């Protein structure tokens, strides 16, 4: 330091710089594996030397850390290494690794890698498909992204619409429009473009629309000069009779195109005083001569174009051509829907009212109502025509004044047609009683179909009941609508006597078919087929006004009447709701009484359950047969997914590990992915799955799923049915397995595949979201169920010393479970024993296995919509899952025992006669009713088991002839009353079997 202090300042700085260079070189030399030349480093300035040294040290540290990580990774297997990666990097590794690397991974990672690659391939195919179909679109999109300024300019140009210059005067428009009526017309696209240019100007637009309307209205006049087509000769293929219709169709088609693309044309059709008064009068005079139902007092000249178009629907020209009717209705719908859109726009701006819009909905006159009704009831209308007519009625009824007018007119028409049908039914009944000869021509006519169409339209227009009709804020429009909705449709049409006659006729016709109706579905007689229009009309009129009156799917275990109906029967409903509830009760009662005929109608035309008349029956599933429910279920599933595309599911499993391999490959998939077509390959086998391998996979998987070694399910006392195991927690991932099991059951139903999995009654109820009852314990533990039954039927005071708790063994440890808060200290008494029984049943069938059931239902409902699957009963759900078994009636008869009866007893002879004639579906129901499952033992009915071991099918005599047969599934026992006739036995037995499990008694 002293030496440096004596040196001059510039020399001292140079000496210090040299010394720093030497130190840096020494430091660099001391580091191992240095790759920097010391001379090069010494030549650098001091600050740059320091930066170079620090950078070199950082690189050395990173290399050392990488070497340490490599040494650690050598001690880690591939699966553990993948577990340390981020989700994005993990997917990239699994997606790009070769087969040799994947072979070292556990099954769940292999399944994940396969799923990722499958998704990648499907995405690539869909992307290729999309770009292939719309490559030009994608190129345009990319060019817009590359040049946003150009896109902006384009949008600006679009906004700045260039005003068109009128080049055609009003007088020339007519000559151009006559080109429409050439025998060989001008190209439609070119003509439409010309028409749109004409309609773009006020003057030419009015001339064009008025000319086309005159052509349409004058087509009804055979003497009109407008019935000529230019270029027409005798050699042309167009017949003289069809020339007016052809001309009219072309004029209507032109107006439809203009109205669709030019809102100004819709405004023109709604203008007051648009048509000339003489044109309107001439047209109305033609209506008077053609339509006998019109009265001159109904004729009030209306110069609005839309009024004349509505009236035109009832003319002979329109009724001769269904296509022309459809076009006119499309034109009318386009016009009135423009008014609705205008109202919605005004509503968004806060200035809307029915009459306050610039273009208000036109009021319907008496003449127009007559014409609309005539169009509605004319025979030969197409489905499209009826849809457009319904849409027109609804749009016009958007105005409350029109709504009341339409409903009043339709009610009058319904009463008139109903009176005709009533007279015909009375004549038919009189003929049958006097001569016992069913003359179909006397009671069925066109009026029944007219009546059906009229009530369908009334149902479509009928307003919902006001939530608070007494509200002071209700305006005049709401009060007007409320005046209509205050009554039900059934009360308004006043056809009670007709419905009574209809029921009488149906009952009489059904009795005549009693020989063939016993068990098989058969076919309907011509007389019953002719009754279908009136039957449908009844269903439309009496159907519940809203879903709130229907039976809840959760209460499907009850009979097919709602609580509101029951209250009405007991007089408990408020006056405002009593009539509605009684209406529902009448609907359900009528349908139950004629259930066989109703289901035969549906069976002959499966689309009926989607119609206005029959669709309300889905709310009351007990009224429908299983095959009709099944078809409706399949069609609804298809309808809900018709617009979606699902990729195939390809899985590869080892035959000895089907459950585990399938779990790993299914559980990772999204719900929508599970709906794709399944293709199964067994590892090491060359079989190609054309359906057989999939069926085998489902059967193997369902058996392994119930395997006791899996600890997921336990079997009931009869050893045939299963429910979740409360001790399944021994499996670490047991809830994932239950979700997987639910997915497999749902997937099997989706794919229409069968499973070898029969669950307990309570398990099926959980799947259907139905309430659990204590009687359901019978299918799990009959001995415990019998004890609960004894407790309910006897006084337990000073006999039983129970508390509101139960003791259960779990993994060798005895656990006390409270059924209610502090239940172990609450004694069970005669007063609270019913509560105890219910809580015990809930604990055993719900609370004790709640997590397992919730996981199972989560997977099941990913594929099966709860609202749709709930139309089935528990017995039907089992048939849907497991299919109809092949039941050998002779084998069942040889292995049946009797108590109180003998083989020669008349009741036993009748019983086997009835059973012998049952369909396989009803045989499965009978087996379910008596044994608790439709499954037939592998060794036949001689191997049937009960709670105490082998227990054959047995029939016991019971003395009460007024009750239905009942069963005790724990003993495979049928209690059969001593009925006095085979017909009576058949009726009661089938009622009990088809109603499901409601006839169970105590063992």
């Amino acid at each position: 330091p002293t030496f440096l202090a004596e040196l001059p300042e510039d020399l001292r700085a140079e000496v210090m710089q040299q010394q720093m260079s030497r130190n840096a070189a020494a430091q660099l030399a001391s580091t191992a594996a240095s790759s920097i030349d010391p001379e090069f480093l010494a030549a650098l300035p001091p600050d740059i030397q320091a930066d170079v040294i620090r950078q070199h040290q950082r690189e050395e540290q990173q290399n050392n850390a990488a070497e340490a990580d490599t040494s650690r990774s050598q001690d880690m297997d591939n699966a553990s290494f993948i577990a340390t990666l981020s989700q994005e990097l993990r997917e990239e590794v699994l997606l790009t690794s070769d087969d040799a690397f994947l072979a070292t991974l556990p099954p769940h990672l292999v399944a994940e890698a396969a799923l990722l690659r499958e998704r990648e391939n499907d995405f690539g195919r869909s992307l290729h498909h999309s770009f292939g179909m719309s490559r030009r679109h994608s190129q345009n999109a990319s060019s817009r992204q590359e040049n946003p300024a150009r896109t902006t300019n384009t949008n600006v140009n679009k906004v700045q619409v260039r005003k068109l210059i009128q080049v055609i005067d009003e007088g020339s428009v007519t000559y151009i429009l006559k080109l429409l009526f050439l025998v060989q017309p001008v190209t439609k696209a070119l003509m439409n473009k010309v028409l749109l240019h004409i309609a773009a100007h006020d003057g030419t637009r009015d001339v064009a629309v008025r000319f086309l309307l005159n052509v349409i209205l004058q087509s009804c006049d055979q003497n009109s000069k407008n019935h000529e087509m230019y270029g027409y000769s005798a050699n042309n293929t167009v017949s003289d009779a069809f020339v007016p219709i052809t001309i009219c169709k072309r004029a209507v088609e032109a107006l439809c195109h203009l109205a669709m693309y030019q809102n100004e044309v819709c405004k023109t059709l709604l203008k007051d005083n648009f048509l000339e008064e003489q044109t309107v009068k001439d047209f109305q005079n033609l209506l008077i001569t053609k339509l006998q139902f019109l009265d001159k007092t109904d004729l009030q000249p209306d110069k609005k174009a839309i009024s004349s178009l509505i009236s035109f629907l009832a003319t002979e020209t329109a009724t001769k051509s269904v296509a022309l009717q459809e076009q006119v209705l499309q034109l009318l719908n386009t016009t009135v829907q423009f008014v609705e859109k205008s109202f919605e726009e005004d509503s968004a701006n806060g200035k809307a009212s029915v009459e306050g819009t610039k273009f208000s909905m036109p009021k319907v006159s008496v003449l127009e109502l007559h014409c609309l009704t005539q169009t509605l009831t004319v025979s030969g209308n197409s489905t499209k025509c009826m849809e457009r007519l319904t849409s027109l009625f609804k749009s016009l009824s958007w105005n409350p004044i029109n709504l009341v007018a339409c409903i009043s007119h339709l009610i009058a028409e319904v009463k008139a047609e109903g009176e005709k049908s009533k007279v015909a039914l009375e004549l038919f009944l009189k003929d049958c009683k006097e001569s016992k000869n069913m003359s179909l021509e006397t009671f069925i006519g066109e009026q029944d179909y007219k009546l059906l169409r009229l009530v369908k339209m009334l149902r479509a227009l009928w307003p919902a009941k006001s939530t608070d009709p007494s509200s002071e804020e209700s305006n005049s429009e709401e009060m007007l609508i409320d005046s209509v909705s205050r009554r039900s449709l059934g009360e308004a049409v006043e056809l009670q006597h007709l419905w009574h006659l209809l029921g009488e006729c149906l009952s009489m016709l059904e009795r005549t078919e009693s020989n063939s109706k016993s068990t098989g579905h058969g076919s309907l007689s011509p007389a019953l087929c002719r009754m279908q229009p009136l039957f449908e009309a009844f269903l439309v009129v009496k159907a519940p006004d809203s879903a709130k009156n229907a039976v809840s799917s959760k209460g499907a275990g009850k009979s097919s009447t709602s609580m509101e109906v029951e209250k009405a029967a007991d007089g408990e409903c408020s006056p405002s709701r009593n009539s509605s509830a009684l209406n529902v009760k009448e609907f359900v009662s009528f349908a139950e009484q004629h259930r066989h005929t109703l289901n035969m109608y549906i069976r002959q035309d499966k689309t009926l359950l989607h119609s206005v008349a029959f669709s309300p029956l889905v709310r009351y599933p007990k009224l429908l047969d299983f095959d009709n429910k099944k078809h409706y279920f399949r069609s609804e599933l298809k309808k809900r997914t018709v617009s979606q595309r699902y990729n195939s599911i390809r899985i590869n499993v080892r035959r000895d590990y089907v459950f585990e391999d399938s779990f790993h490959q299914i559980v990772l998939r999204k719900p929508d992915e599970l709906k794709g077509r399944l293709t199964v390959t067994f590892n090491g086998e060359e079989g190609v799955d054309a359906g057989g391998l999939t069926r085998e996979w489902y059967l193997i998987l369902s058996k392994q799923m119930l395997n006791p070694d899996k600890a997921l399910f336990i079997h009931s006392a009869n050893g045939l049915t299963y429910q979740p195991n409360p001790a399944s927690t021994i499996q670490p991932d047991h809830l994932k397995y239950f979700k997987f099991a639910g997915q497999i059951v749902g997937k099997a139903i989706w794919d229409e595949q069968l499973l070898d999995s029969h669950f307990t009654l309570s398990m099926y109820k959980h799947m259907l979201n139905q309430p659990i009852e204590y009687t359901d314990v019978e299918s799990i533990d009959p001995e415990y169920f019998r004890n609960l039954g004894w407790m309910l039927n006897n006084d337990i005071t000073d006999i039983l010393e129970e508390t509101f708790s139960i003791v259960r063994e779990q993994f060798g440890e005895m656990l006390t479970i409270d059924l209610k808060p502090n239940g172990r200290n609450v004694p069970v008494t005669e007063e609270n024993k019913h509560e105890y029984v219910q809580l015990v049943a809930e604990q055993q069938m719900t609370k004790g296995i709640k997590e397992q059931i919730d996981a199972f239902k989560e997977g099941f409902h990913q594929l099966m919509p709860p609202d749709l699957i709930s139309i089935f009963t528990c017995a039907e759900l089992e048939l849907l899952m497991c299919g109809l078994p092949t039941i050998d009636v002779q084998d069942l008869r040889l292995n049946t025992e009797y108590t109180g009866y003998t083989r020669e007893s008349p009741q036993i002879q009748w019983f086997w006669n009835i059973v012998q004639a049952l369909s396989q579906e009803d045989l499965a129901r009978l087996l379910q009713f008596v044994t608790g499952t439709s499954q037939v033992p592998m060794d036949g009915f001689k191997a049937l088991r009960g709670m105490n071991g082998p227990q054959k099918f047995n029939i016991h005599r019971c003395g009460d002839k007024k009750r239905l047969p009942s069963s005790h599934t724990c003993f495979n026992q049928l209690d059969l009353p001593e009925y006095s006739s085979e017909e009576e036995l058949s009726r009661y037995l089938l009622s009990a079997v088809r109603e499901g499990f409601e006839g169970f008694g105590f063992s």
Side-chain angles (χ1 to χ4, degrees), residues 470-487:
S470 61
S471 175
E472 296 179 358
E473 298 180 1
S474 298
N475 55 35
S476 58
E477 299 167 8
E478 292 174 349
M479 292 175 63
L480 196 60
I481 295 174
D482 185 58
S483 66
V484 175
S485 64
R486 195 173 292 120
R487 295 185 300 169

Side-chain angles (χ1 to χ4, degrees), residues 252 255-256 259 269 309 326-335:
V252 173
L255 275 177
C256 281
L269 295 175
L309 285 173
E326 292 175 358
Q327 285 181 336
V328 174
L329 286 169
Q330 181 182 351
L331 175 60
L332 290 169
N333 274 306
T334 303
T335 305

Side-chain angles (χ1 to χ4, degrees), residues 225-517:
K225 296 181 180 179
N226 287 333
H227 286 178
E228 57 178 313
M229 294 184 69
Y230 301 97
Y232 175 72
S233 67
N235 296 327
N236 290 117
T237 57
V238 183
S239 171
D240 289 339
F242 290 102
V243 168
I245 295 176
T246 304
I247 292 174
C248 190
K249 283 174 65 176
R250 293 186 184 180
V252 173
E253 187 177 354
L255 275 177
C256 281
H257 183 78
L258 291 176
M260 188 176 298
Y261 295 100
Q262 284 275 6
N263 289 338
E264 296 299 324
V265 174
C266 295
K267 296 176 186 178
T268 303
L269 295 175
L270 292 166
K271 281 182 182 178
D272 292 324
N273 301 318
F274 179 71
L275 292 175
E276 296 177 0
E277 184 174 353
Q278 188 59 44
T279 302
V280 176
K281 286 183 178 180
D282 292 343
F283 175 64
Q284 290 184 346
N285 289 334
L286 287 172
L287 287 178
I288 284 288
T289 58
K290 298 293 183 183
L291 305 177
Q292 302 298 324
F293 60 82
L294 289 179
D295 188 353
K296 288 186 178 181
T297 57
D298 296 334
L299 299 179
Q300 298 176 357
D302 192 340
K303 299 179 185 178
K304 280 186 178 179
I306 191 171
S307 300
S308 296
L309 285 173
I310 292 175
S311 302
F312 176 76
L313 287 169
T315 63
E316 185 178 358
T317 304
T319 54
K320 281 182 179 179
S321 171
V322 174
L324 178 58
Q325 272 190 335
E326 292 175 358
Q327 285 181 336
V328 174
L329 286 169
Q330 181 182 351
L331 175 60
L332 290 169
N333 274 306
T334 303
T335 305
V336 295
Q337 285 167 10
F338 163 74
V339 179
E340 290 186 74
K341 291 177 183 177
S342 299
F343 177 79
E344 290 172 0
E345 292 174 0
D346 288 347
S347 297
N349 297 328
K351 57 178 182 179
S353 67
V354 175
E355 299 296 337
T357 55
K358 185 176 180 181
F359 303 97
S360 59
M361 189 67 70
K363 293 180 182 178
V364 183
S365 66
V366 177
L367 169 63
E368 292 159 25
L369 284 175
H370 276 298
C371 294
L372 287 172
T373 307
Q374 174 78 1
T375 307
L376 176 65
T377 56
V378 70
S379 59
N381 277 344
S382 65
T383 303
K384 185 183 292 185
C385 185
M386 295 303 297
E387 290 174 355
R388 290 178 178 176
L389 191 57
T390 303
S391 176
L392 178 61
F393 262 104
K394 287 182 177 180
S395 296
L396 291 172
S397 299
W398 173 79
N399 185 334
I401 297 174
N402 285 347
L403 175 64
V404 175
C406 288
I407 287 180
S408 300
H409 181 77
L410 289 171
I411 287 176
E413 293 290 327
V414 166
K415 289 180 179 179
E417 297 299 333
E419 189 64 29
K420 297 177 185 177
S421 296
K422 184 180 71 172
V423 172
L425 288 181
E426 288 173 343
L427 288 175
F428 170 72
L429 286 172
K430 183 179 179 181
D431 272 358
C432 292
K433 290 176 181 177
E434 292 179 355
S435 62
K436 299 193 177 185
N437 180 26
M438 296 182 187
S439 178
L440 303 182
E441 291 76 10
T442 62
F443 76 95
I444 293 297
E446 185 65 27
Q447 71 273 1
D448 298 323
Y449 293 95
K450 291 181 179 180
L451 178 64
L452 176 59
R453 290 183 176 183
L454 288 168
V455 296
K456 280 184 176 181
M457 188 61 70
L458 265 176
R459 172 58 67 188
L461 299 181
W462 203 262
K465 287 189 176 181
S466 174
T467 55
D468 186 11
S470 61
S471 175
E472 296 179 358
E473 298 180 1
S474 298
N475 55 35
S476 58
E477 299 167 8
E478 292 174 349
M479 292 175 63
L480 196 60
I481 295 174
D482 185 58
S483 66
V484 175
S485 64
R486 195 173 292 120
R487 295 185 300 169
S488 67
L489 178 56
E491 293 173 320
V493 296
E494 300 176 357
L495 295 176
Q496 283 304 115
H497 187 46
L498 175 64
W499 307 139
H500 175 74
L501 290 172
L502 173 63
E504 193 174 342
C505 288
L506 287 172
S507 298
M508 183 187 65
L509 292 171
E510 288 165 350
R511 283 195 297 270
T512 62
E513 298 185 346
S514 58
N515 294 332
S516 59
K517 66 98 179 172

Side-chain angles (χ1 to χ4, degrees), residues 212-224:
L212 293 173
L213 286 172
N214 287 336
V215 170
I216 294 170
L217 299 182
Q218 291 177 14
S219 64
C220 305
D221 185 3
Q222 299 296 329
N223 300 319
S224 174

